[in-house]
Amino acid sequence: MKNHKSTHYNEIGNMKGRIIKTFPSSLIGCYRIALGIIFTLVGCLKLTLETIQHAWCIQLTEIKIPYCILFFWMIPLLEILAGTALILGFLSRVAALVVLPILAMAFYAYLNVSNPEAFLAQPYEAYLPSITIMLATTIFIYGGGSWSMDLRMFIKK
């Protein structure tokens, strides 16, 4: 029985190691911090500015999101939490995995929302969601990079 328990703990340790494993890449670190700033800023703007809230509400209603009021508040809070985790480099892969569905819905909104009031300061093409999807995927694959808490935790192992 003792061997079974130690095997179980080793599997948990290996999984934790795979989640935080990263390499000291300055480029990946810059990508992570930039993506974190974008998400933290956008989440804060959705919660505080009335014009952004109006545009956000138009997006949600035009793409027919069920329980719109729940997502109206939940998504910005998730963006702030994931953005902060990305800035700090804390569980960067998990944070990138959290933002990918949000980005997929943003891309879907760009393609399907026709009201110009829904996109205040953004280009007519879906550049921003495309770029941020690529950044989040890169962070999910390679980890947090330089200056991340993940790197510090991985090196301590």
Side-chain angles (χ1 to χ4, degrees):
M1 188 74 173
K2 198 172 201 179
N3 289 337
H4 177 62
K5 265 190 173 178
S6 65
T7 304
H8 179 68
Y9 289 126
N10 286 340
E11 289 174 7
I12 292 173
N14 289 339
M15 183 173 58
K16 179 185 170 194
R18 284 184 292 218
I19 290 173
I20 65 171
K21 182 179 181 182
T22 189
F23 302 98
S25 168
S26 298
L27 184 63
I28 300 296
C30 289
Y31 286 167
R32 174 185 48 80
I33 292 169
L35 188 64
I37 290 170
I38 289 168
F39 267 92
T40 305
L41 179 63
V42 169
C44 288
L45 290 175
K46 285 179 185 174
L47 290 177
T48 57
L49 288 180
E50 189 175 317
T51 54
I52 302 292
Q53 288 177 344
H54 177 67
W56 173 231
C57 189
I58 291 171
Q59 291 175 20
L60 290 175
T61 53
E62 283 205 20
I63 60 174
K64 296 176 178 52
I65 295 287
Y67 309 107
C68 181
I69 194 68
L70 174 69
F71 288 103
F72 183 82
W73 297 107
M74 187 179 73
I75 298 299
L77 291 173
L78 277 174
E79 288 174 339
I80 293 168
L81 289 173
T84 303
L86 285 167
I87 290 169
L88 296 173
F90 180 71
L91 299 176
S92 302
R93 282 191 168 96
V94 174
L97 191 61
V98 167
V99 300
L100 279 169
I102 296 170
L103 291 170
M105 288 308 295
F107 192 76
Y108 179 77
Y110 264 100
L111 297 177
N112 292 295
V113 174
S114 58
N115 189 340
E117 291 181 16
F119 304 103
L120 296 176
Q122 300 171 15
Y124 291 102
E125 301 297 325
Y127 297 125
L128 189 59
S130 303
I131 291 168
T132 51
I133 285 171
M134 289 187 297
L135 291 176
T137 304
T138 303
I139 293 165
F140 180 72
I141 293 169
Y142 295 106
S146 294
W147 317 297
S148 69
M149 292 176 71
D150 293 343
L151 183 62
R152 290 186 192 138
M153 289 188 291
F154 185 68
I155 290 174
K156 283 183 182 178
K157 279 182 84 180

